Each structure stands twice: as structure tokens, then as C-alpha cells.
Amino acid sequence: MNNLFLMVPKMETNDYVGFTFFVGCMAMMAASAFFFFSMNSFDRKWKTSILVSGLITFIAAVHYYYMRDYWASHHESPTFFRYVDWILTVPLMCVEFYLILKVAGATKNLLWTLIGASVVMLVTGYFGETVYKEQAALWGFISGAAYFYIVYLIMFGEAKALAVKAGGNVLNAHNMLVKFILIGWAIYPLGYMIGTADGQWYSFMGDIGVDMDVVYNIGDAINKIGFGLVVYSLAVSSTSSSEA
Ligand SMILES: *C/C=C(C)/C=C/C=C(C)/C=C/C1=C(C)CCCC1(C)C
């Protein structure tokens, strides 16, 4: 009987970081169920996009399950699980852009450029948070450059040109997804600055009283579930407009 209780680490009622891990886990699970169950009501082209939305939230749900547990047992940031989650889900978000823009002739080359930039962004961020913490500002800067390159590609570059070419619902959805990258993804560098503030020029970020993981958890909820819902509504509007 005791073993059963040991499986659930104690959670304090004032542990608001733990609370956001718990709620994040539930929200990711619910979103996954929603995407997976709704998938079959769309035709093939959209089915893949909704499947990817579901995979993004599902992969996150599994990682949140472990992160929640890790936090509850150690009261430390689950940096490793966090970055494993991101390295899997962020490239999948690049895949979403590619799938949407395929109608306008998006190339594999564009897809790999986006994925490559996102991997650089995450690996350098990981270095700054772990092995080279003293140089966190430098690594964060390199990571930020990769981030802005992604913003450039989808806002002004090749991806934007394709979206304009596709027009209609695709262009609307693309513009919406761009907002997620521009505003939603900008949440993450804030979390990073809070978490690596010690001894950096932005040391004041360490005193603002918000925990890095809370910022990351809010970012994930907005970006993974919100992003998926934009794709979902594009599928809904495209399906109903082709029937009409
Ligand atoms: C589902 C997870 C997502 C969308 C994660 C996105 C993560 C980022 C956009 C992280 C960006 C970072 C910077 C731009 C600079 C500092 C280091 C990072 C990795 C936190």
C-alpha cells in the first residue's frame, strides 16, 4: 500500500511551479485527444497536418509527465527533459509550415533550413543553460540570431512568398502562425534570462519573482496548443469552403 503512495511525490499547495507542470501535462493530454479524434473528419491533405498537431502536444504531454515528476521530487528545473521535448516538437512545428505551404510549392530545402535553424537555436540555448552557464549571454545571443533567422524566413523570406502565392485561407493561417513565432516564441528568451541571470548583464531578471519554468510552461501551452488550433481551424475552413 505504501508503494502506491510513493509513486506520487508530495505536492505542496503553494508549489505554483509544480502546479503549472501538472496543469500543463493535463492540457497537453486533452489537446492530443482532441487532435487525434478530430483527425478523421478531414481529407487526407489536412489529416497529416492535424496528426502533426496531435504529435506535438502528445510528445509534450509525455515530457510534462516526467517533468512534473522531476520537479516534485527534486525541486529543480528538468532542463534535460525540457530540451529533449523542444528538440522533437520545434522541428515538428517547422513541418507544419511546410505542410501548409506545400500547395504553393514549398521545397524540402525550405523545410530543412527551418529545421536546421531551430536545432541551432535549441542546442546553443541548451549550452547556455547547462555546460557554459557563465557564458549564458553569448549562447543566448547566438540562439537569438537563429531565432530571428526563422522569423525572417517566415515573415519576409521564401516561406512568406509561398504563403502569398497560395493566398486565401492558407495565407491567413500562415500569418497567424507567424504571430505565434514572433510573439509566442519570444516568451522563451525571457524564461532563459530569468533562469541564467546569475552574474550576467541581465542579472535583474533573476529578481523579478517569476520562475523560469513557469514562463516556459506558459510558453509551451500557448505555442503548442494554440499553434495546433490554428492549423485545426484552417483545416475546418478549407474543408467547408471546398464543400460549398
Ligand atoms: C514547444 C516548444 C517550443 C515552441 C519552444 C521554443 C523555444 C524557443 C523559441 C527558444 C528560444 C531561445 C532563444 C531565442 C534564446 C535563448 C535560448 C532559448 C533556447 C530559450
Side-chain angles (χ1 to χ4, degrees):
M1 204 54 191
N2 248 332
N3 277 335
L4 199 67
F5 290 114
L6 282 174
M7 283 167 61
V8 183
K10 195 163 133 204
M11 195 143 121
E12 309 287 348
T13 44
N14 62 353
D15 177 7
Y16 76 114
V17 182
F19 172 79
T20 60
F21 275 119
F22 201 96
V23 174
C25 186
M26 290 298 159
M28 295 296 176
M29 285 202 266
S32 308
F34 174 78
F35 292 130
F36 288 144
F37 282 117
S38 67
M39 210 174 98
N40 285 321
S41 50
F42 300 104
D43 47 52
R44 228 182 124 231
K45 181 166 156 302
W46 293 113
K47 221 178 259 180
T48 318
S49 299
I50 308 290
L51 173 65
V52 175
S53 294
L55 286 175
I56 291 170
T57 52
F58 181 70
I59 291 169
V62 175
H63 284 86
Y64 268 79
Y65 183 80
Y66 286 103
M67 290 199 286
R68 175 201 54 79
D69 196 57
Y70 187 95
W71 176 268
S73 340
H74 306 287
H75 275 264
E76 249 173 48
S77 288
T79 309
F80 177 77
F81 290 123
R82 174 79 74 192
Y83 275 85
V84 174
D85 173 346
W86 288 355
I87 208 91
L88 297 170
T89 52
V90 172
L92 283 174
M93 294 172 90
C94 299
V95 170
E96 292 278 34
F97 273 101
Y98 168 74
L99 288 174
I100 287 176
L101 297 175
K102 231 169 124 185
V103 281
T107 59
K108 287 262 160 65
N109 191 38
L110 172 66
L111 172 62
W112 286 111
T113 308
L114 287 172
I115 291 178
S118 68
V119 169
V120 170
M121 175 182 84
L122 296 174
V123 170
T124 51
Y126 184 74
F127 283 163
E129 270 195 51
T130 56
V131 259
Y132 304 116
K133 225 175 160 172
E134 281 88 68
Q135 285 92 44
L138 174 68
W139 290 103
F141 180 79
I142 303 171
S143 175
Y147 165 61
F148 279 115
Y149 182 57
I150 298 173
V151 170
Y152 164 78
L153 278 176
I154 57 173
M155 248 181 119
F156 309 104
E158 193 183 336
K160 173 71 188 194
L162 290 166
V164 170
K165 192 172 147 200
N169 290 335
V170 172
L171 180 59
N172 289 339
H174 179 85
N175 289 340
M176 196 65 191
L177 294 182
V178 167
K179 287 203 185 93
F180 275 93
I181 308 294
L182 191 66
I183 303 163
W185 283 22
I187 295 170
Y188 296 96
L190 294 177
Y192 179 89
M193 289 171 92
I194 292 171
T196 61
D198 256 2
Q200 307 293 336
W201 61 265
Y202 50 85
S203 60
F204 63 92
M205 291 290 283
D207 310 320
I208 62 172
V210 184
D211 192 280
M212 175 184 78
D213 283 292
V214 171
V215 177
Y216 283 165
N217 291 351
I218 291 170
D220 279 356
I222 293 174
N223 288 296
K224 292 182 165 67
I225 301 173
F227 201 88
L229 287 174
V230 171
V231 175
Y232 173 82
S233 58
L234 171 62
V236 170
S237 54
S238 301
T239 304
S240 53
S241 61
S242 62
E243 272 166 9

